[in-house]
């Protein structure tokens, strides 16, 4: 409960705007850097896009045969990770990740070189698809954007609702989208962003409606107030790193997804032992 309360308190400030509260790009710079489709995000008002603070792109088409992905980072610094905010709850998402890790190259496979090595038979090895057996490749339907027209979509930890609004555009008028978040302040911002997006649609374009209806629900991910088999797709962007009981959250998402449903999760991970004991709160975002 202490950690969950600390997370909610920190996102009270983020609801006012993410600028200056994260070490990675937010707003339009974040959307562009993560490869969001500009034709999709361009349908949202600039003031709404400014609230984006995700760490990945849950709508991206992924390389189906990069398996498993290997993130090559330098050894972490032995120095402590002090809180830049003075709140006692430090974290990489709140300006506390060492610069060496922020600037490190990230690649797939086993090589940091630009060119793949060459095997004796002349075929390239290494690089993004090094050692990827074909039977471990994702099927095309999972490698593609997970949201399809008519889908019922759940955005777990929807925050300010930018991904929720994108999902509604992708699901179209025959779909439905639910944004779920534990922070009432973030939900207030999400509802305001939904209203701003609706107002920005020219009157001539309002009939028929081009996006799915959206509802926002205040709830933690560990106990979702939805019936089993309610959704075709669940997305989550930068939220699971903040959830205390991650297995419970995954079980809940599995429960509310229909058979054959799809989960697309983007997040950050701690490279090292998990925080323990009395220091768990002050280390939670590390």
């Amino acid at each position: 409960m202490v950690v969950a309360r600390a997370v909610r308190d920190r996102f009270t400030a983020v609801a006012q705007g993410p600028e200056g509260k994260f070490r990675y790009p937010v707003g339009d710079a974040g959307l562009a850097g993560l490869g969001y489709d500009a034709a999709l995000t361009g349908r949202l008002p600039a003031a709404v896009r400014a609230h984006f603070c995700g760490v990945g792109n849950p709508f991206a088409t992924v390389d189906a045969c990069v398996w498993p992905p290997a993130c090559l980072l330098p050894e972490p610094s032995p120095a402590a990770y002090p809180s830049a905010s003075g709140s006692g709850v430090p974290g990489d998402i709140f300006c506390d990740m060492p610069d060496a890790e922020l600037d490190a190259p990230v690649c797939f496979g086993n090589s940091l070189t630009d060119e793949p090595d060459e095997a004796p038979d002349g075929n390239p090895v290494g690089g993004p698809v090094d050692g990827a057996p074909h039977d471990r490749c994702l099927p095309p339907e999972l490698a593609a954007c997970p949201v399809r027209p008519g889908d019922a979509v759940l955005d777990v930890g929807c925050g300010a609702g930018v991904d929720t609004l994108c999902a509604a555009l992708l699901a179209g008028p025959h779909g439905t989208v639910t944004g779920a978040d534990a922070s009432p302040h973030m939900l207030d911002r999400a509802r305001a962003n939904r209203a701003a997006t609706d107002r920005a649609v020219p009157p001539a374009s309002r009939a028929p409606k081009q996006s799915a209806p959206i509802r926002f629900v205040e709830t933690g991910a560990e106990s979702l107030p939805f019936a089993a088999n309610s959704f075709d797709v669940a997305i989550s962007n930068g939220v699971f790193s903040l959830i205390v009981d991650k297995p419970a959250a995954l079980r809940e998402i599995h429960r509310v997804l229909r058979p054959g449903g799809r989960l697309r999760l983007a997040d950050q991970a701690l490279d090292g032992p998990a925080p323990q004991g009395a220091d768990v709160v002050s280390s939670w975002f590390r």
Side-chain angles (χ1 to χ4, degrees):
M1 290 299 294
V2 174
V3 171
R5 185 166 57 250
V7 171
R8 286 195 296 270
D9 290 346
R10 292 302 296 268
F11 277 87
T12 300
V14 176
Q16 304 307 311
E19 194 67 37
K21 301 179 177 73
F22 298 84
R23 287 292 293 270
Y24 53 79
V26 297
D28 280 335
L31 291 164
L34 293 169
Y36 275 71
D37 181 357
L40 176 66
T41 58
R43 298 170 67 180
L44 307 180
V48 171
R49 300 195 305 269
H51 285 276
F52 176 78
C53 56
V55 300
N57 181 354
F59 309 112
T61 299
V62 300
D63 189 332
C65 283
V66 176
W67 187 271
C71 181
L72 303 181
L73 295 175
E75 289 297 319
S77 167
Y81 291 26
S83 170
S85 64
S87 68
V89 186
D92 51 351
I93 67 167
F94 284 99
C95 310
D96 297 316
M97 180 181 281
D99 289 340
E101 292 188 19
L102 285 170
D103 299 332
V106 177
C107 71
F108 294 104
N110 300 316
S111 174
L112 284 172
T113 60
D114 292 331
E115 297 296 330
D117 297 329
E118 191 169 282
D121 60 3
N123 293 319
V125 296
V129 294
D130 181 31
H134 290 290
D135 61 352
R136 297 185 71 184
C137 294
L138 288 173
E141 63 270 20
L142 294 184
C145 173
V147 180
R148 305 164 188 166
D151 276 342
V153 184
L154 173 64
D155 186 359
V156 180
C158 65
V162 178
D163 280 339
T164 317
L165 290 163
C166 288
L169 291 169
L170 290 167
H174 300 296
T176 61
V177 178
T178 299
D181 203 281
S183 167
H185 300 282
M186 294 303 288
L187 288 174
D188 286 344
R189 174 56 60 187
R191 293 185 181 102
N193 283 340
R194 177 183 60 187
T197 301
D198 288 343
R199 288 193 301 269
V201 177
S205 302
R206 288 179 181 165
K209 188 172 176 61
Q210 298 299 305
S211 63
I214 298 172
R215 62 171 172 163
F216 291 107
V217 178
E218 183 178 343
T219 179
E222 299 97 326
S223 181
L224 297 172
F226 310 118
N229 307 323
S230 295
F231 300 97
D232 301 297
V233 186
I235 60 173
S236 184
N237 194 349
V239 174
F240 259 76
S241 58
L242 309 176
I243 294 173
V244 177
D245 191 345
K246 294 172 178 60
L250 287 170
R251 285 193 296 268
E252 278 293 273
I253 291 174
H254 184 269
R255 180 184 65 81
V256 301
L257 280 174
R258 293 169 182 154
R262 304 172 296 281
L263 168 63
R264 184 69 69 86
L265 189 156
D267 219 313
Q268 303 175 94
L270 174 66
D271 184 13
Q276 301 291 332
D279 194 44
V280 65
V281 174
S282 63
S283 300
W284 192 257
F285 295 108
R286 192 175 70 183

